[in-house]
C-alpha cells in the first residue's frame, strides 16, 4: 500500500514537473518577438508546424535525424569517440531497462508472459552497460579531466543516483534465488531510488533525455522560413536541451579570452546555465549577469559552437536573441547598442526598422542629447563656459578625462572609417570625433552625448592611436555610452520592457 502510494506520488511529481517545464517553453521568450503571442497561439503554431512536417517531404529529414542523431548519436561520434561509447552504453542500457523492466506490465509481459529465467540476462546486461557508461563518465571527468568540462553538484547527483539504481537492481537479480533477506534489502534501496530519480528527473539535467532529441529534431526541420513563434519556443526549449557537455566551449574562438580574464563563465556552455534563470526572470547574481554580458559582448558570431553542438542547438541565433533581450532589459553593453555593430548588421533584415533603431535611440535620448540643435543649422548654439569639472560631474575615469588635452588637430576624424564612409559625414553623424571631444572641452556635453557619431562608432581605436595628444578618444566614447546605457536602464526599463508585447 505504502509503495503503491509512493509510485503514484512520484509519477504525479514527474508529470506535473514535466508539464511545468514544458509550459515554460511557451511562456518565455528571448529577445524581440513576432508580435503579440500567447501560450495558446504558440502551442497552436507548434501543432501547425508539426503537421506541416509530417505531411511533407521534410518527414524524410525528420526520420534521418531521428536515426542518425538521436538513436546513433553520430554527432557525438564525429567529435569524441570515448564520449560516444559512454553515451551509447548509458543510453541503450537505460532505454532497454526503461521499456522492458520499468514498463514491463505494458510492454514486456504481454510480449513474453511465460518467459522466466533464474538469472535474467535482459536485466543484468543492460544494467552492466549503464554501470560501464557511468564508470567512463567518472573517468572522463575526474581522471582524464577533459578540458573545459565542469562538474557541478547536479552532475555528481545524477551519476550517483543512476549508479545506486543499477547496482541495487543487479544485486536484487543476483540474490533473488539465494537469499530473500538480501533481496529485500536491495529492493528497499532500488525502488525508492527509482522513484526519487523519476520525481526529480524534470528538475534535473537528466531532462535532456527528452529535450535533446526534441532539439535535434526541431533544428533538423526548421529553417529561416519557420514561423517566428516556433523559433521563439524552440529557443527556450534549447536551454533545457543543453547537456553542458562543453563541446561548444572547446571550440569557441574567444575561449582564450576567458582564460586571460580569469572568467570561465564567459564560455558558451557556462553561459547556458545562467541563461535559463535569466530568461525565466530570476534575479541573477552580479557575477552571473556580468558573465552573460561579457560573453555576448566578446562573442564574435563565428558560429563554431552551433556547428559542433551535439544537441543541435542553434547557439548563434540564441546569442543574437540574448543581446536583444539585454537591450530590452536595459542591461546591454554599449557595443551591442551601436546600429553599425556586427551582430545588429547581421540581424538588420529580420528586425523591423523600429526594432532595429529603437534601442540606440533610447540610450541616446537617455542622456538628454540635445543634438537636435545640430540638425538646425540656422540656429546658433550658445557656448557655455569651458567646464573643467565635467570629467568629475559625469563620473568619467582618469583615462577618459584626457579629453582636456585636445588641441583640435582633427587627426581623429581624418582616420575615422565611419566618418570616411560618408560624402557628407555631418549630415549623417551630427558631429565628427574631434567635434565630440571639442564639445566636451567646451562643456557642451549634451551635444557630445546626443550626437549620432557616438553611437555609430565601431570602436576600431584608430582615432585613439593617431591622437598626438594622447586623448583616449575611443575610451571616452565607451564611457559616454556606458553612462547612457546606465541612465536608460534607470529611467526607461519599464517602458522598454512593456514594449516587448508590441514587437
Ligand atoms: S550548448 Fe551544445 S555543445 Fe554547448 S554545452 Fe550545451 S549541449 Fe554541449
Ligand atoms: S559564436 Fe560566439 S560563443 Fe559561439 S563559438 Fe563563436 S565566439 Fe564562441
Ligand atoms: S574608434 Fe570610433 S571614432 Fe575612433 S576612429 Fe574608430 S570608428 Fe572612428
Ligand atoms: S586627434 Fe586628439 S588632439 Fe587631435 S582632435 Fe582628435 S582628440 Fe583632439
Amino acid at each position: 500500500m505504502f509503495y503503491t502510494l509512493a509510485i503514484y506520488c512520484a509519477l504525479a511529481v514527474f508529470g506535473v514537473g514535466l508539464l511545468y517545464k514544458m509550459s515554460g517553453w511557451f511562456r518565455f521568450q528571448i529577445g524581440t518577438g513576432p508580435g503579440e503571442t500567447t501560450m495558446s497561439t504558440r502551442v497552436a503554431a507548434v501543432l501547425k508546424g508539426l503537421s506541416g512536417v509530417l505531411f511533407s517531404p521534410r518527414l524524410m529529414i525528420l526520420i534521418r535525424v531521428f536515426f542518425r542523431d538521436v538513436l546513433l548519436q553520430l554527432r557525438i561520434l564525429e567529435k569524441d569517440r570515448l564520449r560516444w561509447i559512454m553515451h551509447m552504453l548509458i543510453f541503450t542500457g537505460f532505454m532497454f531497462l526503461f521499456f522492458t523492466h520499468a514498463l514491463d506490465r505494458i510492454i514486456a509481459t504481454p510480449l513474453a508472459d511465460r518467459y522466466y529465467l533464474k538469472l535474467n540476462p535482459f536485466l543484468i546486461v543492460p544494467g552492466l552497460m549503464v554501470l560501464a557508461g557511468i564508470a567512463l563518465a567518472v573517468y572522463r571527468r575526474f581522471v582524464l579531466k577533459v578540458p573545459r568540462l565542469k562538474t557541478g553538484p547536479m552532475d555528481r547527483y545524477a551519476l550517483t543516483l543512476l549508479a545506486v539504481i543499477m547496482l541495487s537492481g543487479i544485486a536484487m537479480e543476483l540474490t533473488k534465488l539465494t537469499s530473500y533477506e538480501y533481496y529485500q534489502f536491495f529492493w528497499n534501496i532500488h525502488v525508492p531510488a527509482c522513484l526519487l530519480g523519476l520525481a526529480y528527473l524534470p528538475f534535473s539535467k537528466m531532462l535532456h533525455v527528452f529535450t535533446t532529441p526534441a532539439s535535434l529534431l526541431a533544428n533538423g526541420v526548421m529553417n529561416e522560413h519557420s514561423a517566428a513563434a516556433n523559433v521563439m519556443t524552440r529557443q527556450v526549449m534549447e536551454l533545457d536541451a543543453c547537456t553542458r557537455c562543453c563541446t561548444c566551449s572547446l571550440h569557441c574562438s574567444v575561449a582564450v579570452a576567458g582564460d586571460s580574464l580569469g572568467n570561465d563563465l564567459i564560455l558558451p556552455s557556462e553561459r547556458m546555465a545562467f541563461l535559463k534563470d535569466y530568461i525565466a526572470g530570476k534575479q541573477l547574481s552580479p557575477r552571473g549577469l556580468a558573465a552573460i554580458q561579457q560573453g555576448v559582448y566578446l562573442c564574435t558570431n563565428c558560429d563554431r559552437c552551433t556547428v559542433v553542438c551535439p544537441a543541435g542547438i542553434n547557439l548563434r541565433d540564441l546569442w543574437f536573441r540574448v543581446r536583444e533581450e539585454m537591450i530590452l532589459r536595459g542591461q546591454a553593453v554599449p557595443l551591442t547598442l551601436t546600429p553599425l555593430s556586427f551582430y545588429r548588421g547581421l540581424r538588420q533584415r529580420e528586425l523591423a526598422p523600429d526594432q532595429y533603431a529603437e534601442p540606440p535611440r533610447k540610450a541616446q535620448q537617455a542622456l538628454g542629447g540635445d543634438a537636435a540643435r545640430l540638425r538646425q543649422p540656422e540656429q546658433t548654439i550658445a557656448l557655455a563656459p569651458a567646464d573643467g569639472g565635467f570629467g568629475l560631474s559625469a563620473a568619467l575615469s582618469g583615462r577618459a578625462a584626457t579629453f582636456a588635452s585636445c588641441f583640435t588637430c582633427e587627426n581623429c576624424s581624418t582616420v575615422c572609417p565611419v566618418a570616411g564612409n560618408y560624402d557628407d559625414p555631418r549630415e549623417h553623424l551630427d558631429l565628427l570625433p574631434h567635434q565630440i571631444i571639442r564639445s566636451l572641452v567646451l562643456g557642451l556635453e549634451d551635444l557630445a552625448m546626443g550626437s549620432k557619431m557616438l553611437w555609430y562608432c565601431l570602436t576600431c581605436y584608430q582615432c585613439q592611436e593617431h591622437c598626438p595628444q594622447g586623448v583616449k578618444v575611443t575610451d571616452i566614447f565607451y564611457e559616454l555610452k556606458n553612462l547612457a546605457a546606465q541612465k536608460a536602464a534607470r529611467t526607461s526599463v519599464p517602458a522598454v520592457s512593456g514594449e516587448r508585447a508590441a514587437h
Side-chain angles (χ1 to χ4, degrees):
M1 174 66 187
F2 172 75
Y3 275 108
T4 309
L5 198 63
I7 288 170
Y8 283 120
C9 283
L11 275 172
V13 175
F14 171 78
V16 171
L18 200 58
L19 279 178
Y20 174 75
K21 278 280 176 184
M22 286 174 72
S23 74
W25 305 345
F26 299 96
R27 274 184 293 134
F28 303 126
Q29 73 173 72
I30 311 174
T32 47
E36 192 167 351
T37 51
T38 58
M39 241 176 113
S40 53
T41 54
R42 283 171 69 177
V43 172
V46 167
L47 294 176
K48 191 174 165 204
L50 200 59
S51 58
V53 171
L54 293 179
F55 299 103
S56 76
R58 279 187 294 161
L59 178 62
M60 296 314 293
I61 303 177
L62 205 65
I63 293 171
R64 185 174 59 87
V65 172
F66 179 73
F67 280 103
R68 189 186 182 282
D69 299 333
V70 177
L71 281 188
L72 298 177
Q73 305 190 12
L74 295 187
R75 290 172 79 107
I76 299 177
L77 180 63
E78 283 160 8
K79 293 287 163 227
D80 185 338
R81 188 164 296 193
L82 187 64
R83 188 165 161 245
W84 180 79
I85 295 172
M86 175 197 89
H87 256 257
M88 289 307 282
L89 284 170
I90 296 179
F91 177 72
T92 43
F94 182 85
M95 284 301 171
F96 189 87
L97 286 173
F98 182 75
F99 287 112
T100 61
H101 178 55
L103 301 180
D104 62 348
R105 285 196 197 165
I106 304 169
I107 296 174
T109 310
L111 285 177
D113 60 338
R114 295 188 184 182
Y115 183 76
Y116 186 82
L117 288 176
K118 287 179 188 167
L119 213 53
N120 190 344
F122 295 110
L123 290 180
I124 293 179
V125 173
L128 288 175
M129 283 169 69
V130 177
L131 279 177
I134 294 171
L136 273 181
V138 171
Y139 172 72
R140 285 181 78 244
R141 286 173 184 275
F142 301 106
V143 181
L144 211 55
K145 293 198 169 101
V146 174
R148 313 243 182 252
L149 182 60
K150 308 273 177 234
T151 304
M154 204 77 140
D155 303 294
R156 289 192 171 88
Y157 173 76
L159 288 174
T160 309
L161 188 62
L162 206 53
V164 169
I165 291 172
M166 294 304 144
L167 281 172
S168 55
I170 292 172
M172 268 172 67
E173 189 61 21
L174 293 177
T175 53
K176 74 180 178 191
L177 295 179
T178 53
S179 160
Y180 179 74
E181 196 183 330
Y182 281 132
Y183 173 81
Q184 195 62 39
F185 173 76
F186 290 121
W187 192 93
N188 283 333
I189 296 174
H190 185 70
V191 175
C194 289
L195 296 183
L196 187 63
L198 180 68
Y200 189 54
L201 194 146
F203 311 98
S204 74
K205 191 179 154 182
M206 294 298 284
L207 185 65
H208 80 258
V209 173
F210 302 109
T211 47
T212 302
S215 164
L216 285 163
L217 294 170
N219 277 292
V221 290
M222 288 177 78
N223 55 34
E224 68 274 18
H225 305 300
S226 299
N230 285 343
V231 173
M232 197 191 273
T233 304
R234 188 202 72 210
Q235 285 185 324
V236 183
M237 183 199 66
E238 285 174 336
L239 299 180
D240 281 326
C242 173
T243 59
R244 295 194 68 199
C245 65
C246 87
T247 311
C248 51
S249 298
L250 270 176
H251 292 80
C252 175
S253 49
V254 295
V256 283
D259 296 339
S260 59
L261 289 168
N263 182 7
D264 275 354
L265 298 180
I266 70 161
L267 296 172
S269 52
E270 299 303 306
R271 252 183 284 156
M272 292 294 275
F274 287 111
L275 272 183
K276 264 200 235 182
D277 288 346
Y278 187 64
I279 299 309
K282 291 185 191 160
Q283 188 76 32
L284 284 191
S285 66
R287 194 162 165 254
L289 183 60
I292 296 180
Q293 285 178 313
Q294 207 167 35
V296 295
Y297 161 64
L298 287 172
C299 169
T300 61
N301 309 297
C302 71
D303 213 13
R304 286 191 195 182
C305 48
T306 304
V307 173
V308 298
C309 175
I313 300 172
N314 189 331
L315 288 151
R316 179 171 168 272
D317 277 4
L318 195 60
W319 306 139
F320 278 180
R321 296 276 176 175
V322 173
R323 286 171 172 120
E324 293 296 331
E325 183 67 33
M326 305 203 95
I327 290 173
L328 290 169
R329 295 191 190 191
Q331 293 166 328
V333 283
L335 188 60
T336 60
L337 283 171
T338 299
L340 296 180
S341 79
F342 181 47
Y343 104 91
R344 285 185 77 74
L346 289 172
R347 290 207 71 199
Q348 189 164 17
R349 275 193 302 169
E350 60 179 282
L351 285 174
D354 59 328
Q355 290 178 336
Y356 186 75
E358 189 62 3
R361 194 184 67 74
K362 273 225 152 70
Q364 197 174 345
Q365 275 184 343
L367 281 174
D370 208 2
R373 287 187 289 161
L374 290 166
R375 288 157 221 150
Q376 298 165 344
E378 68 283 359
Q379 281 205 3
T380 308
I381 298 171
L383 275 187
D387 181 4
F390 172 66
L392 286 177
S393 73
L396 292 180
S397 71
R399 280 171 72 76
T402 53
F403 69 82
S405 312
C406 172
F407 58 16
T408 329
C409 69
E410 300 187 23
N411 265 4
C412 48
S413 298
T414 309
V415 296
C416 174
V418 175
N421 188 43
Y422 298 105
D423 290 337
D424 182 2
R426 279 285 305 275
E427 186 192 330
H428 298 277
L429 304 171
D430 299 332
L431 293 176
L432 298 178
H434 76 280
Q435 289 171 318
I436 293 182
I437 302 295
R438 190 67 192 150
S439 304
L440 295 179
V441 174
L442 292 172
L444 299 169
E445 51 195 73
D446 54 347
L447 286 189
M449 292 174 165
S451 74
K452 285 186 192 160
M453 177 67 232
L454 191 65
W455 300 95
Y456 277 48
C457 169
L458 298 168
T459 61
C460 68
Y461 277 91
Q462 298 254 34
C463 50
Q464 190 159 317
E465 283 175 10
H466 286 81
C467 175
Q469 285 293 90
V471 177
K472 308 297 181 198
V473 186
T474 318
D475 292 344
I476 291 171
F477 288 7
Y478 256 127
E479 294 212 16
L480 293 179
K481 283 188 281 188
N482 268 326
L483 284 172
Q486 284 162 10
K487 196 166 172 186
R490 278 200 303 272
T491 58
S492 62
V493 168
V496 173
S497 303
E499 277 168 11
R500 185 208 291 274
H503 283 320

